[in-house]
Amino acid sequence: MADFLLNALLAGLALALVAGPLGSFVVWRRMAYFGDTLAHAALLGVALGLLLEVSLTLTVVVGCVLLAVLLVFLQQRQPLASDTLLGILAPSTLSLGLVTLSFMKNVRVDLMGYLFGDLLAVGSNDLAWILGGSALVLALLVLLWRPLLAITVHEELAQVEGLPVAGIRLALMLLIAVVIAVAMKIVGVLLITSLLIIPAAAAQRHARTPEEMAVGASLLGVVAVCAGLSLSWIEDTPAGPSIVVAAATLFLVSLALPRRLGR
């Protein structure tokens, strides 16, 4: 297998495995718009990385994490609704990134690659970031699984039981930020949240427990990555959008199948 295809496959599978359980929390807590906001901010991290001449992945990770912290701060201090704040920050950060890139006349940037991903161009350094970030997020998810479930089911009850609800909620936002940052190379800033949401939504119809949904979402993500890469290799279609199309197809298939009994 060609090195670039092997790198693409490993990167896609690593992201699919971690996006399953994390995407389940995104679906349960209705945080899709939050994920979109962080994804839009990733382009601003790219612009700052080019401006400062440092690792783009590092600046994207730092930028997404800082935006997640800013969102938590604004939600606590401002009377505006959360969706209003997200509606302000998402286009603002994306536009600021595009304007910043336009000022760098001597830097050639493949905007299409950043917006829609360039999975087949994943290099060894990119693969190391993706594998390392995915492993870290997956380990933290396993560690925080029960507290995250508790605040998802009933935040007030979890607080009464002594769980640090605000800290756990912030940890979830930071995990989403890290996954979005490392996934930028795979599906691009405009399609990142699709890998979090679509497999989880497809698995939700047929899962009886949270754990079943998380595992099912990961498996569906793996299938979507393999199918999307195969389509890209055979028909020469864009890799990132092909993976999203495969995931959407799996979701439609899940709708056609009868729902499993039980909860």
Side-chain angles (χ1 to χ4, degrees):
M1 183 180 294
D3 289 343
F4 74 92
L5 188 58
L6 179 61
N7 288 345
L9 180 62
L10 292 176
L13 293 180
L15 179 63
L17 289 175
V18 73
L22 190 60
S24 298
F25 284 108
V26 172
V27 171
W28 291 330
R29 297 182 62 84
R30 300 179 181 179
M31 297 176 67
Y33 202 8
F34 171 77
D36 276 333
T37 302
L38 290 182
H40 285 69
L43 190 62
L44 178 58
V46 170
L48 293 177
L50 293 172
L51 184 65
L52 300 175
E53 297 183 354
V54 296
S55 170
L56 299 186
T57 305
L58 179 61
T59 54
V60 171
V61 170
V62 172
C64 288
V65 168
L66 290 178
L67 182 64
V69 174
L70 176 63
L71 279 171
V72 173
F73 175 80
L74 291 177
Q75 287 172 346
Q76 295 174 346
R77 299 299 179 92
Q78 296 296 325
L80 295 175
S82 295
D83 60 342
T84 304
L85 284 172
L86 294 172
I88 293 171
L89 290 174
S92 299
T93 51
L94 178 62
S95 300
L96 183 58
L98 290 171
V99 170
T100 303
L101 288 173
S102 69
F103 282 115
M104 291 184 281
K105 305 296 184 182
N106 297 326
V107 177
R108 298 190 63 181
V109 181
D110 179 17
L111 278 181
M112 293 297 290
Y114 288 116
L115 293 177
F116 298 102
D118 192 5
L119 180 55
L120 297 180
V122 172
S124 299
N125 291 335
D126 298 320
L127 182 62
W129 274 102
I130 293 169
L131 293 179
S134 298
L136 174 63
V137 171
L138 193 59
L140 291 175
L141 272 175
V142 172
L143 183 65
L144 297 174
W145 182 258
R146 289 299 175 186
L148 284 171
L149 271 183
I151 70 168
T152 299
V153 173
H154 202 299
E155 281 198 1
E156 290 78 9
L157 182 59
Q159 194 163 18
V160 169
E161 292 179 349
L163 290 176
V165 173
I168 296 172
R169 192 190 306 120
L170 177 60
L172 177 60
M173 292 182 177
L174 295 180
L175 292 179
I176 296 172
V178 172
V179 167
I180 286 175
V182 299
M184 178 185 63
K185 191 75 173 179
I186 297 178
V187 290
V189 300
L190 297 183
L191 302 176
I192 285 174
T193 50
S194 60
L195 271 187
L196 288 170
I197 297 169
I198 298 177
Q204 186 177 34
R205 286 179 50 82
H206 306 284
R208 295 178 179 176
T209 65
E211 290 77 14
E212 279 189 13
M213 178 173 166
V215 173
S218 293
L219 293 178
L220 288 175
V222 167
V223 173
V225 168
C226 294
L229 273 179
S230 299
L231 177 62
S232 177
W233 179 257
I234 296 170
E235 299 295 338
D236 196 26
T237 57
S242 297
I243 291 173
V244 176
V245 168
T249 302
L250 292 174
F251 174 72
L252 293 177
V253 171
S254 75
L255 292 180
L257 296 175
R259 185 190 292 268
R260 288 179 63 186
L261 298 177
R263 300 186 64 182

